[in-house]
Amino acid sequence: MADKKVWWKEAVVYQIYPRSFADSNGDGIGDLNGITEHLDYLKELGIDVIWLSPIYKSPNDDNGYDISDYRDIMTEFGTMDDFDRMLNAAHEHNIRIVMDLVVNHTSDEHAWFVESRSSVDNPYRDYYIWKEPRDGREPNNWQSCFSGSAWELDESTGMYYLHCFSKKQPDLNWDNPKVREEIFDMMTWWCEKGIDGFRMDVISMISKNPDYPDGPVRDGIYGDLGPYVCNGPHVHEYLEEMNRKVLSAYDIMTVGEAAGVTIEEAKKYANNDGTELGMVFHFEHTDGVVTAENVIGKWGYAQPKMTIVRDILNKWQTGLEGKAWGSLYWDNHDQPRVVSRFGNDSPKWRELSAKMLATTLHMMKGTPYIYQGEEIGMTNMHFTSVDDCDDIEEINAYTQYVTEHGVVSAEEMLKCFDAVARDNARTPMQWDDSDNAGFTTGKPWFAVNPNYSKINVKAAVSDPDSVYNYYRKLIRLRHENEIIVYGSFRPLMTDSETVYAYERELDGKILTVACNWTEDEQPCPLFDAKKGKELISNYTEHKQGVLQPYEARAILHDQNES
Ligand code: GLC
Ligand code: CA
């Protein structure tokens, strides 16, 4: 079945993590005016949509993913007037704005939770998930995604509330129709303001298994909550209701962050009939890739094999074909930097491998997402102590595994942080080679990666061969070639352990893509007999029968012409 054409399938999205993007007033924290000031840069890059990580009022236990007021702006980021100015300016640049919608949980400082915890018969009690103790302890063995128990005892009423993330992020009770109405009203309020869509935070987790059973114990400490909170019994019903009551009234784009999603589930969330969401993010190629070799839980440092990443992505490409729309990403604010993770961030190979990875992803089917700094090939950080970290996930994991239980050494844990910590993505944007990488004139809230003197926007923009200019070209190619958006996908060379290759097809045209994921020359016969037009490559000269180190090529062949 041919895909129905809509703007968000043809768009390229750029994710902004406002705290680290650009500081306009010298307090060391990125802000809304900082974004407005850089819209020309984004226009020049060519992106169509900005996904804004949360900018709502928040005590910042999880950098804005803990919201205390959905209809107000975080003090450090500016005011509602600043927001309106940014939204208007973006629209004048033909850039749309997609808001992060964090509604699996609120902050414990949200007025609903303050009421809810005040007494068992408060009208807001049932807005959250409260349980009696079991044998004087937590209601079950679930581990929160940020370590420790997923339950917190509230002394005043003697009951526990569920928090799948930090204890300052109590989970909302979506089974309560009043909660759903409140959320739908709030979403409508933002849509009426003129925003262009929602990225829905852990939306696959809003419906819990009503039995709250113990989970399988993995690391010898707590049980896994995943199977009982992801893709729960009512999740599709609630999203259909949201679609009916809010989304369907607007021409907006929606993407669900779908922890634990399988292809079968994704076909429901992002079904082509449009009864739920536009698309989802899955985690198989990021959080799922190295599990077997990991030190503990998500923490590991082995570089994943190309074949594992490829087989996962190919499975999703072919699995969704004709059924549901997909999304494409390497990086976001929860992932390490892709050039460090799947590529090679040494000075010799950084640019070539960053371009190669970008080619691998941007020639696939689905809506691509670029995370701030990815377009200049920003790299991971190096952490020498847990004191260098800001992220609650890292700090809590360190406390649990290193300090409290001693199951991982400090050295080993820091090695894991260097490889996969979320803080790698959260260092300030590197704009130029002046102090603090031009991010702020004050003291940055978080350390700047010391490599900013080499890796920065100013240098990248003026160098025609930069990673930045390569991304610009990839974006332009997608806008100019329907085959990149709508062409069907077929894996090629699936026996290769070094070259990731595939082809796309539309209306008698074939686009052949091959990427060498290693620093050695590798056999690749795909282009030998092919004429056609080279759309993009990170090398100017090619060799017969092989791909050079980290070489990427995409050739378009029009069968109607030969
Ligand atoms: C999502 C966000 C992440 C946050 C978590 C809890 O996974 O992307 O940053 O910590 O949800 O809101
Ligand atoms: Ca600021």
PDB file of all heavy atoms in Angstrom, residues 60-90:
ATOM      1  N   ASN A  60      13.241  20.696  38.303  1.00  0.00           N
ATOM      2  CA  ASN A  60      14.470  20.189  37.675  1.00  0.00           C
ATOM      3  C   ASN A  60      15.146  19.032  38.392  1.00  0.00           C
ATOM      4  O   ASN A  60      16.372  18.973  38.459  1.00  0.00           O
ATOM      5  CB  ASN A  60      15.489  21.327  37.502  1.00  0.00           C
ATOM      6  CG  ASN A  60      15.198  22.117  36.270  1.00  0.00           C
ATOM      7  OD1 ASN A  60      15.087  21.551  35.175  1.00  0.00           O
ATOM      8  ND2 ASN A  60      15.016  23.412  36.417  1.00  0.00           N
ATOM      9  N   ASP A  61      14.357  18.121  38.902  1.00  0.00           N
ATOM     10  CA  ASP A  61      14.967  16.918  39.460  1.00  0.00           C
ATOM     11  C   ASP A  61      15.503  16.069  38.307  1.00  0.00           C
ATOM     12  O   ASP A  61      16.516  15.399  38.417  1.00  0.00           O
ATOM     13  CB  ASP A  61      13.915  16.130  40.254  1.00  0.00           C
ATOM     14  CG  ASP A  61      14.544  15.023  41.058  1.00  0.00           C
ATOM     15  OD1 ASP A  61      15.520  15.307  41.779  1.00  0.00           O
ATOM     16  OD2 ASP A  61      14.081  13.870  40.954  1.00  0.00           O
ATOM     17  N   ASP A  62      14.787  16.099  37.174  1.00  0.00           N
ATOM     18  CA  ASP A  62      15.193  15.365  35.970  1.00  0.00           C
ATOM     19  C   ASP A  62      15.218  16.344  34.788  1.00  0.00           C
ATOM     20  O   ASP A  62      14.687  16.067  33.715  1.00  0.00           O
ATOM     21  CB  ASP A  62      14.189  14.211  35.737  1.00  0.00           C
ATOM     22  CG  ASP A  62      14.575  13.313  34.569  1.00  0.00           C
ATOM     23  OD1 ASP A  62      15.759  13.312  34.179  1.00  0.00           O
ATOM     24  OD2 ASP A  62      13.679  12.612  34.048  1.00  0.00           O
ATOM     25  N   ASN A  63      15.825  17.505  35.028  1.00  0.00           N
ATOM     26  CA  ASN A  63      15.961  18.536  33.995  1.00  0.00           C
ATOM     27  C   ASN A  63      14.687  18.771  33.175  1.00  0.00           C
ATOM     28  O   ASN A  63      14.701  18.675  31.949  1.00  0.00           O
ATOM     29  CB  ASN A  63      17.124  18.205  33.055  1.00  0.00           C
ATOM     30  CG  ASN A  63      18.463  18.483  33.700  1.00  0.00           C
ATOM     31  OD1 ASN A  63      18.519  19.057  34.789  1.00  0.00           O
ATOM     32  ND2 ASN A  63      19.535  18.075  33.053  1.00  0.00           N
ATOM     33  N   GLY A  64      13.615  19.065  33.864  1.00  0.00           N
ATOM     34  CA  GLY A  64      12.396  19.480  33.168  1.00  0.00           C
ATOM     35  C   GLY A  64      11.436  18.352  32.852  1.00  0.00           C
ATOM     36  O   GLY A  64      10.293  18.604  32.451  1.00  0.00           O
ATOM     37  N   TYR A  65      11.869  17.094  32.990  1.00  0.00           N
ATOM     38  CA  TYR A  65      10.945  15.970  32.776  1.00  0.00           C
ATOM     39  C   TYR A  65      10.112  15.699  34.041  1.00  0.00           C
ATOM     40  O   TYR A  65       9.463  14.661  34.161  1.00  0.00           O
ATOM     41  CB  TYR A  65      11.690  14.730  32.279  1.00  0.00           C
ATOM     42  CG  TYR A  65      12.043  14.879  30.798  1.00  0.00           C
ATOM     43  CD1 TYR A  65      13.224  15.484  30.403  1.00  0.00           C
ATOM     44  CD2 TYR A  65      11.150  14.474  29.814  1.00  0.00           C
ATOM     45  CE1 TYR A  65      13.521  15.673  29.056  1.00  0.00           C
ATOM     46  CE2 TYR A  65      11.435  14.654  28.469  1.00  0.00           C
ATOM     47  CZ  TYR A  65      12.616  15.252  28.095  1.00  0.00           C
ATOM     48  OH  TYR A  65      12.893  15.449  26.760  1.00  0.00           O
ATOM     49  N   ASP A  66      10.177  16.638  34.956  1.00  0.00           N
ATOM     50  CA  ASP A  66       9.348  16.605  36.171  1.00  0.00           C
ATOM     51  C   ASP A  66       8.639  17.946  36.217  1.00  0.00           C
ATOM     52  O   ASP A  66       9.203  18.954  36.628  1.00  0.00           O
ATOM     53  CB  ASP A  66      10.230  16.385  37.409  1.00  0.00           C
ATOM     54  CG  ASP A  66      11.456  17.301  37.463  1.00  0.00           C
ATOM     55  OD1 ASP A  66      12.107  17.525  36.414  1.00  0.00           O
ATOM     56  OD2 ASP A  66      11.753  17.823  38.557  1.00  0.00           O
ATOM     57  N   ILE A  67       7.398  17.973  35.764  1.00  0.00           N
ATOM     58  CA  ILE A  67       6.707  19.240  35.522  1.00  0.00           C
ATOM     59  C   ILE A  67       5.780  19.595  36.680  1.00  0.00           C
ATOM     60  O   ILE A  67       4.956  18.782  37.105  1.00  0.00           O
ATOM     61  CB  ILE A  67       5.920  19.155  34.193  1.00  0.00           C
ATOM     62  CG1 ILE A  67       6.921  18.978  33.040  1.00  0.00           C
ATOM     63  CG2 ILE A  67       5.065  20.411  33.992  1.00  0.00           C
ATOM     64  CD1 ILE A  67       6.287  18.584  31.725  1.00  0.00           C
ATOM     65  N   SER A  68       5.920  20.829  37.176  1.00  0.00           N
ATOM     66  CA  SER A  68       5.050  21.255  38.271  1.00  0.00           C
ATOM     67  C   SER A  68       3.910  22.146  37.776  1.00  0.00           C
ATOM     68  O   SER A  68       2.954  22.387  38.502  1.00  0.00           O
ATOM     69  CB  SER A  68       5.861  21.963  39.365  1.00  0.00           C
ATOM     70  OG  SER A  68       6.625  22.995  38.801  1.00  0.00           O
ATOM     71  N   ASP A  69       4.021  22.680  36.553  1.00  0.00           N
ATOM     72  CA  ASP A  69       2.891  23.426  35.971  1.00  0.00           C
ATOM     73  C   ASP A  69       2.998  23.347  34.452  1.00  0.00           C
ATOM     74  O   ASP A  69       3.934  23.896  33.861  1.00  0.00           O
ATOM     75  CB  ASP A  69       2.910  24.886  36.446  1.00  0.00           C
ATOM     76  CG  ASP A  69       1.661  25.646  35.993  1.00  0.00           C
ATOM     77  OD1 ASP A  69       0.942  25.142  35.105  1.00  0.00           O
ATOM     78  OD2 ASP A  69       1.413  26.737  36.532  1.00  0.00           O
ATOM     79  N   TYR A  70       2.010  22.663  33.844  1.00  0.00           N
ATOM     80  CA  TYR A  70       2.051  22.445  32.393  1.00  0.00           C
ATOM     81  C   TYR A  70       1.734  23.706  31.598  1.00  0.00           C
ATOM     82  O   TYR A  70       1.880  23.723  30.383  1.00  0.00           O
ATOM     83  CB  TYR A  70       1.036  21.368  31.990  1.00  0.00           C
ATOM     84  CG  TYR A  70       1.396  19.977  32.444  1.00  0.00           C
ATOM     85  CD1 TYR A  70       0.762  19.384  33.542  1.00  0.00           C
ATOM     86  CD2 TYR A  70       2.354  19.225  31.763  1.00  0.00           C
ATOM     87  CE1 TYR A  70       1.066  18.098  33.951  1.00  0.00           C
ATOM     88  CE2 TYR A  70       2.673  17.927  32.164  1.00  0.00           C
ATOM     89  CZ  TYR A  70       2.027  17.370  33.255  1.00  0.00           C
ATOM     90  OH  TYR A  70       2.340  16.095  33.651  1.00  0.00           O
ATOM     91  N   ARG A  71       1.210  24.721  32.285  1.00  0.00           N
ATOM     92  CA  ARG A  71       0.821  25.922  31.540  1.00  0.00           C
ATOM     93  C   ARG A  71       1.702  27.114  31.873  1.00  0.00           C
ATOM     94  O   ARG A  71       1.293  28.254  31.752  1.00  0.00           O
ATOM     95  CB  ARG A  71      -0.660  26.247  31.802  1.00  0.00           C
ATOM     96  CG  ARG A  71      -1.562  25.119  31.359  1.00  0.00           C
ATOM     97  CD  ARG A  71      -3.018  25.452  31.551  1.00  0.00           C
ATOM     98  NE  ARG A  71      -3.804  24.224  31.564  1.00  0.00           N
ATOM     99  CZ  ARG A  71      -4.998  24.101  31.023  1.00  0.00           C
ATOM    100  NH1 ARG A  71      -5.551  25.122  30.420  1.00  0.00           N
ATOM    101  NH2 ARG A  71      -5.647  22.952  31.086  1.00  0.00           N
ATOM    102  N   ASP A  72       2.895  26.844  32.326  1.00  0.00           N
ATOM    103  CA  ASP A  72       3.820  27.924  32.643  1.00  0.00           C
ATOM    104  C   ASP A  72       5.226  27.521  32.187  1.00  0.00           C
ATOM    105  O   ASP A  72       5.489  26.351  31.924  1.00  0.00           O
ATOM    106  CB  ASP A  72       3.780  28.193  34.158  1.00  0.00           C
ATOM    107  CG  ASP A  72       4.265  29.590  34.509  1.00  0.00           C
ATOM    108  OD1 ASP A  72       4.759  30.299  33.600  1.00  0.00           O
ATOM    109  OD2 ASP A  72       4.159  29.962  35.700  1.00  0.00           O
ATOM    110  N   ILE A  73       6.112  28.514  32.106  1.00  0.00           N
ATOM    111  CA  ILE A  73       7.461  28.292  31.577  1.00  0.00           C
ATOM    112  C   ILE A  73       8.461  28.212  32.724  1.00  0.00           C
ATOM    113  O   ILE A  73       8.341  28.939  33.718  1.00  0.00           O
ATOM    114  CB  ILE A  73       7.861  29.456  30.630  1.00  0.00           C
ATOM    115  CG1 ILE A  73       6.847  29.598  29.483  1.00  0.00           C
ATOM    116  CG2 ILE A  73       9.274  29.291  30.090  1.00  0.00           C
ATOM    117  CD1 ILE A  73       6.814  28.470  28.501  1.00  0.00           C
ATOM    118  N   MET A  74       9.455  27.371  32.587  1.00  0.00           N
ATOM    119  CA  MET A  74      10.506  27.254  33.596  1.00  0.00           C
ATOM    120  C   MET A  74      11.185  28.614  33.786  1.00  0.00           C
ATOM    121  O   MET A  74      11.596  29.230  32.801  1.00  0.00           O
ATOM    122  CB  MET A  74      11.543  26.227  33.137  1.00  0.00           C
ATOM    123  CG  MET A  74      12.476  25.802  34.235  1.00  0.00           C
ATOM    124  SD  MET A  74      13.800  24.731  33.642  1.00  0.00           S
ATOM    125  CE  MET A  74      12.904  23.329  32.981  1.00  0.00           C
ATOM    126  N   THR A  75      11.296  29.030  35.032  1.00  0.00           N
ATOM    127  CA  THR A  75      11.801  30.374  35.310  1.00  0.00           C
ATOM    128  C   THR A  75      13.119  30.665  34.581  1.00  0.00           C
ATOM    129  O   THR A  75      13.271  31.710  33.955  1.00  0.00           O
ATOM    130  CB  THR A  75      11.999  30.545  36.837  1.00  0.00           C
ATOM    131  OG1 THR A  75      10.888  29.926  37.481  1.00  0.00           O
ATOM    132  CG2 THR A  75      12.079  32.000  37.234  1.00  0.00           C
ATOM    133  N   GLU A  76      14.066  29.719  34.648  1.00  0.00           N
ATOM    134  CA  GLU A  76      15.371  29.967  34.025  1.00  0.00           C
ATOM    135  C   GLU A  76      15.296  30.089  32.512  1.00  0.00           C
ATOM    136  O   GLU A  76      16.193  30.611  31.887  1.00  0.00           O
ATOM    137  CB  GLU A  76      16.344  28.808  34.320  1.00  0.00           C
ATOM    138  CG  GLU A  76      16.627  28.541  35.771  1.00  0.00           C
ATOM    139  CD  GLU A  76      15.727  27.451  36.334  1.00  0.00           C
ATOM    140  OE1 GLU A  76      14.479  27.595  36.228  1.00  0.00           O
ATOM    141  OE2 GLU A  76      16.253  26.466  36.852  1.00  0.00           O
ATOM    142  N   PHE A  77      14.235  29.544  31.918  1.00  0.00           N
ATOM    143  CA  PHE A  77      14.160  29.546  30.452  1.00  0.00           C
ATOM    144  C   PHE A  77      13.490  30.795  29.899  1.00  0.00           C
ATOM    145  O   PHE A  77      13.554  31.058  28.707  1.00  0.00           O
ATOM    146  CB  PHE A  77      13.403  28.308  29.946  1.00  0.00           C
ATOM    147  CG  PHE A  77      14.166  27.011  30.079  1.00  0.00           C
ATOM    148  CD1 PHE A  77      13.573  25.814  29.687  1.00  0.00           C
ATOM    149  CD2 PHE A  77      15.454  26.976  30.585  1.00  0.00           C
ATOM    150  CE1 PHE A  77      14.258  24.602  29.805  1.00  0.00           C
ATOM    151  CE2 PHE A  77      16.153  25.767  30.710  1.00  0.00           C
ATOM    152  CZ  PHE A  77      15.543  24.575  30.319  1.00  0.00           C
ATOM    153  N   GLY A  78      12.782  31.541  30.752  1.00  0.00           N
ATOM    154  CA  GLY A  78      12.143  32.767  30.273  1.00  0.00           C
ATOM    155  C   GLY A  78      10.695  32.838  30.673  1.00  0.00           C
ATOM    156  O   GLY A  78      10.285  32.266  31.688  1.00  0.00           O
ATOM    157  N   THR A  79       9.898  33.531  29.862  1.00  0.00           N
ATOM    158  CA  THR A  79       8.492  33.785  30.193  1.00  0.00           C
ATOM    159  C   THR A  79       7.606  33.265  29.064  1.00  0.00           C
ATOM    160  O   THR A  79       8.097  32.876  28.007  1.00  0.00           O
ATOM    161  CB  THR A  79       8.241  35.298  30.310  1.00  0.00           C
ATOM    162  OG1 THR A  79       8.513  35.877  29.016  1.00  0.00           O
ATOM    163  CG2 THR A  79       9.139  35.935  31.359  1.00  0.00           C
ATOM    164  N   MET A  80       6.292  33.300  29.311  1.00  0.00           N
ATOM    165  CA  MET A  80       5.368  32.893  28.258  1.00  0.00           C
ATOM    166  C   MET A  80       5.465  33.848  27.065  1.00  0.00           C
ATOM    167  O   MET A  80       5.307  33.436  25.924  1.00  0.00           O
ATOM    168  CB  MET A  80       3.944  32.819  28.810  1.00  0.00           C
ATOM    169  CG  MET A  80       2.972  32.055  27.949  1.00  0.00           C
ATOM    170  SD  MET A  80       3.479  30.351  27.517  1.00  0.00           S
ATOM    171  CE  MET A  80       2.802  29.407  28.886  1.00  0.00           C
ATOM    172  N   ASP A  81       5.774  35.113  27.322  1.00  0.00           N
ATOM    173  CA  ASP A  81       5.975  36.054  26.204  1.00  0.00           C
ATOM    174  C   ASP A  81       7.178  35.628  25.360  1.00  0.00           C
ATOM    175  O   ASP A  81       7.144  35.699  24.129  1.00  0.00           O
ATOM    176  CB  ASP A  81       6.208  37.483  26.724  1.00  0.00           C
ATOM    177  CG  ASP A  81       4.894  38.114  27.178  1.00  0.00           C
ATOM    178  OD1 ASP A  81       3.823  37.578  26.818  1.00  0.00           O
ATOM    179  OD2 ASP A  81       4.962  39.116  27.904  1.00  0.00           O
ATOM    180  N   ASP A  82       8.230  35.203  26.033  1.00  0.00           N
ATOM    181  CA  ASP A  82       9.406  34.721  25.283  1.00  0.00           C
ATOM    182  C   ASP A  82       9.024  33.517  24.435  1.00  0.00           C
ATOM    183  O   ASP A  82       9.470  33.365  23.296  1.00  0.00           O
ATOM    184  CB  ASP A  82      10.537  34.295  26.238  1.00  0.00           C
ATOM    185  CG  ASP A  82      11.098  35.461  27.034  1.00  0.00           C
ATOM    186  OD1 ASP A  82      11.017  36.603  26.552  1.00  0.00           O
ATOM    187  OD2 ASP A  82      11.611  35.211  28.148  1.00  0.00           O
ATOM    188  N   PHE A  83       8.182  32.658  25.022  1.00  0.00           N
ATOM    189  CA  PHE A  83       7.752  31.480  24.267  1.00  0.00           C
ATOM    190  C   PHE A  83       6.975  31.901  23.021  1.00  0.00           C
ATOM    191  O   PHE A  83       7.234  31.416  21.919  1.00  0.00           O
ATOM    192  CB  PHE A  83       6.890  30.540  25.126  1.00  0.00           C
ATOM    193  CG  PHE A  83       6.415  29.343  24.347  1.00  0.00           C
ATOM    194  CD1 PHE A  83       7.208  28.206  24.241  1.00  0.00           C
ATOM    195  CD2 PHE A  83       5.207  29.376  23.661  1.00  0.00           C
ATOM    196  CE1 PHE A  83       6.792  27.129  23.470  1.00  0.00           C
ATOM    197  CE2 PHE A  83       4.787  28.304  22.888  1.00  0.00           C
ATOM    198  CZ  PHE A  83       5.583  27.177  22.801  1.00  0.00           C
ATOM    199  N   ASP A  84       6.022  32.809  23.223  1.00  0.00           N
ATOM    200  CA  ASP A  84       5.194  33.235  22.085  1.00  0.00           C
ATOM    201  C   ASP A  84       6.058  33.871  20.995  1.00  0.00           C
ATOM    202  O   ASP A  84       5.850  33.623  19.808  1.00  0.00           O
ATOM    203  CB  ASP A  84       4.117  34.223  22.553  1.00  0.00           C
ATOM    204  CG  ASP A  84       3.085  33.531  23.456  1.00  0.00           C
ATOM    205  OD1 ASP A  84       2.958  32.293  23.376  1.00  0.00           O
ATOM    206  OD2 ASP A  84       2.419  34.226  24.244  1.00  0.00           O
ATOM    207  N   ARG A  85       7.033  34.656  21.432  1.00  0.00           N
ATOM    208  CA  ARG A  85       7.938  35.281  20.451  1.00  0.00           C
ATOM    209  C   ARG A  85       8.731  34.219  19.689  1.00  0.00           C
ATOM    210  O   ARG A  85       8.876  34.287  18.475  1.00  0.00           O
ATOM    211  CB  ARG A  85       8.915  36.225  21.161  1.00  0.00           C
ATOM    212  CG  ARG A  85       8.635  37.701  20.923  1.00  0.00           C
ATOM    213  CD  ARG A  85       9.821  38.577  21.279  1.00  0.00           C
ATOM    214  NE  ARG A  85      10.456  38.204  22.533  1.00  0.00           N
ATOM    215  CZ  ARG A  85      10.021  38.585  23.736  1.00  0.00           C
ATOM    216  NH1 ARG A  85       8.954  39.361  23.852  1.00  0.00           N
ATOM    217  NH2 ARG A  85      10.660  38.193  24.825  1.00  0.00           N
ATOM    218  N   MET A  86       9.184  33.211  20.430  1.00  0.00           N
ATOM    219  CA  MET A  86       9.959  32.147  19.780  1.00  0.00           C
ATOM    220  C   MET A  86       9.097  31.383  18.773  1.00  0.00           C
ATOM    221  O   MET A  86       9.518  31.094  17.653  1.00  0.00           O
ATOM    222  CB  MET A  86      10.499  31.176  20.839  1.00  0.00           C
ATOM    223  CG  MET A  86      11.304  30.037  20.249  1.00  0.00           C
ATOM    224  SD  MET A  86      11.547  28.698  21.432  1.00  0.00           S
ATOM    225  CE  MET A  86       9.882  28.129  21.631  1.00  0.00           C
ATOM    226  N   LEU A  87       7.862  31.080  19.190  1.00  0.00           N
ATOM    227  CA  LEU A  87       6.961  30.324  18.310  1.00  0.00           C
ATOM    228  C   LEU A  87       6.668  31.126  17.031  1.00  0.00           C
ATOM    229  O   LEU A  87       6.757  30.585  15.918  1.00  0.00           O
ATOM    230  CB  LEU A  87       5.659  30.017  19.065  1.00  0.00           C
ATOM    231  CG  LEU A  87       4.614  29.185  18.334  1.00  0.00           C
ATOM    232  CD1 LEU A  87       5.147  27.785  18.035  1.00  0.00           C
ATOM    233  CD2 LEU A  87       3.323  29.074  19.169  1.00  0.00           C
ATOM    234  N   ASN A  88       6.387  32.417  17.194  1.00  0.00           N
ATOM    235  CA  ASN A  88       6.129  33.253  16.016  1.00  0.00           C
ATOM    236  C   ASN A  88       7.341  33.335  15.111  1.00  0.00           C
ATOM    237  O   ASN A  88       7.228  33.213  13.888  1.00  0.00           O
ATOM    238  CB  ASN A  88       5.738  34.677  16.433  1.00  0.00           C
ATOM    239  CG  ASN A  88       4.298  34.710  16.886  1.00  0.00           C
ATOM    240  OD1 ASN A  88       3.482  33.880  16.463  1.00  0.00           O
ATOM    241  ND2 ASN A  88       3.982  35.632  17.781  1.00  0.00           N
ATOM    242  N   ALA A  89       8.492  33.565  15.735  1.00  0.00           N
ATOM    243  CA  ALA A  89       9.717  33.695  14.936  1.00  0.00           C
ATOM    244  C   ALA A  89      10.008  32.392  14.200  1.00  0.00           C
ATOM    245  O   ALA A  89      10.412  32.395  13.033  1.00  0.00           O
ATOM    246  CB  ALA A  89      10.887  34.083  15.834  1.00  0.00           C
ATOM    247  N   ALA A  90       9.784  31.265  14.868  1.00  0.00           N
ATOM    248  CA  ALA A  90      10.012  29.972  14.203  1.00  0.00           C
ATOM    249  C   ALA A  90       9.086  29.857  13.001  1.00  0.00           C
ATOM    250  O   ALA A  90       9.515  29.482  11.902  1.00  0.00           O
ATOM    251  CB  ALA A  90       9.791  28.826  15.180  1.00  0.00           C
TER     252      ALA A  90
END
